[in-house]
Amino acid sequence: MSLTINEISLITNSWTDFTENFESNGATIFIRLFDQNPELILLFPFGKRERTDAELKRHPLFKRHVRGVMNTINTAVNNIDNLSIIFPTLTQLGKKTSKVWS
């Protein structure tokens, strides 16, 4: 799949805005995901008991997960012109994640 120059520009410009509050924005995405799909949080070590959003945002494992996902997306966006650089990492991550869903 190839992206147009306009699509690449839209992605990189949007991501630049998003990264101004990198971890906070990432945490917000996951909290919304868990609010809309409460069963998903149980798949994570930080979701084994009920927590408020504020408690979740402070939990070290949650913060680590958010940073990891955000860094992976950041790497993809920074290499958008040559995604083959990160294909091995994304493939490995996909395999690891699919084990959770199995």
Side-chain angles (χ1 to χ4, degrees), residues 22-62:
F22 196 67
E23 287 186 31
S24 177
N25 287 333
T28 298
I29 287 173
F30 275 98
I31 287 172
R32 284 185 186 164
L33 177 68
F34 296 147
D35 285 346
Q36 293 174 5
N37 305 277
E39 70 281 2
L40 293 181
I41 197 166
L42 299 174
L43 299 172
F44 297 90
F46 49 78
K48 300 304 181 198
R49 72 170 183 81
E50 195 168 318
R51 300 177 196 280
T52 66
D53 291 352
E55 289 172 326
L56 194 56
K57 286 180 179 180
R58 288 191 304 270
H59 195 285
L61 293 177
F62 176 77

Side-chain angles (χ1 to χ4, degrees), residues 36-100:
Q36 293 174 5
N37 305 277
E39 70 281 2
L40 293 181
I41 197 166
L42 299 174
L43 299 172
F44 297 90
F46 49 78
K48 300 304 181 198
R49 72 170 183 81
E50 195 168 318
R51 300 177 196 280
T52 66
D53 291 352
E55 289 172 326
L56 194 56
K57 286 180 179 180
R58 288 191 304 270
H59 195 285
L61 293 177
F62 176 77
K63 290 166 66 171
R64 182 174 145 205
H65 183 74
V66 168
R67 274 193 304 275
V69 170
M70 298 302 289
N71 284 328
T72 300
I73 295 170
N74 193 55
T75 300
V77 172
N78 288 336
N79 291 287
I80 202 163
D81 291 326
N82 189 7
L83 289 175
S84 63
I85 290 172
I86 63 161
F87 277 169
T89 301
L90 294 177
T91 301
Q92 181 181 9
L93 181 60
K95 288 178 183 177
K96 181 179 174 184
T97 303
S98 70
K99 289 178 185 177
V100 172

